[in-house]
Amino acid sequence: MDIDFLIGNISAKLVRGWFLGGMKLVTPSESIWLQHPLQPSTHFSFRLKRCWQRGISGHQVRVEKARPLMAAGVRSQSYSVFVDGKLVASDQGL
């Protein structure tokens, strides 16, 4: 799943691999892991909502993931991307 958005005037993308669960922020100059596929917390978590916040090019980027309570591994999850506190993109997917 890919979500395209802008950080100021820089194009960025939230990329999540459905098979291994890795998730990262990608800009033309850097790539930042939010969930690395080799970390156990990527695969085993009881939280329904998780947030990651990173500073990129002088802007605060926050990614929120919300998952359903029942059968979360096989149902769609919601992803929201905020830049400096403003919602810039959202999507649902595995």
Side-chain angles (χ1 to χ4, degrees):
M1 180 177 85
D2 295 348
I3 301 174
D4 295 318
F5 61 97
L6 292 174
I7 302 172
N9 59 357
I10 300 169
S11 64
K13 183 183 292 193
L14 176 68
V15 179
R16 183 174 189 283
W18 70 271
F19 187 68
L20 295 176
M23 184 167 53
K24 60 184 171 179
L25 287 170
V26 179
T27 65
S29 61
E30 61 185 327
S31 179
I32 301 170
W33 283 103
L34 301 177
Q35 281 188 312
H36 196 279
L38 298 179
Q39 289 179 328
S41 63
T42 298
H43 308 287
F44 303 105
S45 176
F46 294 104
R47 295 181 186 175
L48 297 179
K49 185 175 181 180
R50 294 188 67 186
C51 296
W52 298 269
Q53 189 160 339
R54 301 289 187 269
I56 299 175
S57 300
H59 297 277
Q60 288 298 315
V61 179
R62 186 175 80 234
V63 177
E64 294 181 356
K65 177 178 89 167
R67 64 185 188 97
L69 178 62
M70 302 300 288
V74 295
R75 294 177 56 198
S76 291
Q77 301 175 13
S78 300
Y79 299 89
S80 301
V81 180
F82 297 85
V83 175
D84 296 331
K86 296 179 185 174
L87 179 66
V88 294
S90 63
D91 200 358
Q92 289 189 346
L94 292 174

